[in-house]
Amino acid sequence: MRIPLPDADRAELEVESLLRIVLVLVLIWLVLEVISEVLGIVGWLLGPLQPILGLALVVLIVLWLLDRI
């Protein structure tokens, strides 16, 4: 076990590694943005049917829990 020294150099992370971390975070952010847009379009298309789909989902869950399915 190595005890950190107060005067030790804390900058052990290389610039390339830091840039890779930032790149991965930006890619994750972009993927989440694309997914939210796609889900927004699907939600817009199914707008009038959302209450009916929600009710059907609740009925299916209740039937599953009561072992009727």
Side-chain angles (χ1 to χ4, degrees):
M1 185 167 124
R2 194 173 108 181
I3 299 174
L5 300 174
D7 296 331
D9 186 20
R10 297 184 324 168
E12 293 181 13
L13 190 62
E14 294 181 9
V15 174
E16 290 84 12
S17 299
L18 185 60
L19 286 175
R20 285 183 185 142
I21 292 171
V22 171
L23 180 65
V24 167
L25 290 175
V26 169
L27 286 174
I28 290 172
W29 175 47
L30 288 174
V31 167
L32 290 175
E33 287 290 326
V34 169
I35 289 173
S36 69
E37 287 297 321
V38 168
L39 291 178
I41 291 171
V42 170
W44 177 77
L45 289 174
L46 297 176
L49 299 176
Q50 283 181 353
I52 296 170
L53 291 174
L55 183 61
L57 185 63
V58 168
V59 168
L60 284 174
I61 291 173
V62 169
L63 289 175
W64 177 298
L65 291 174
L66 295 175
D67 288 332
R68 301 287 182 169
I69 294 182

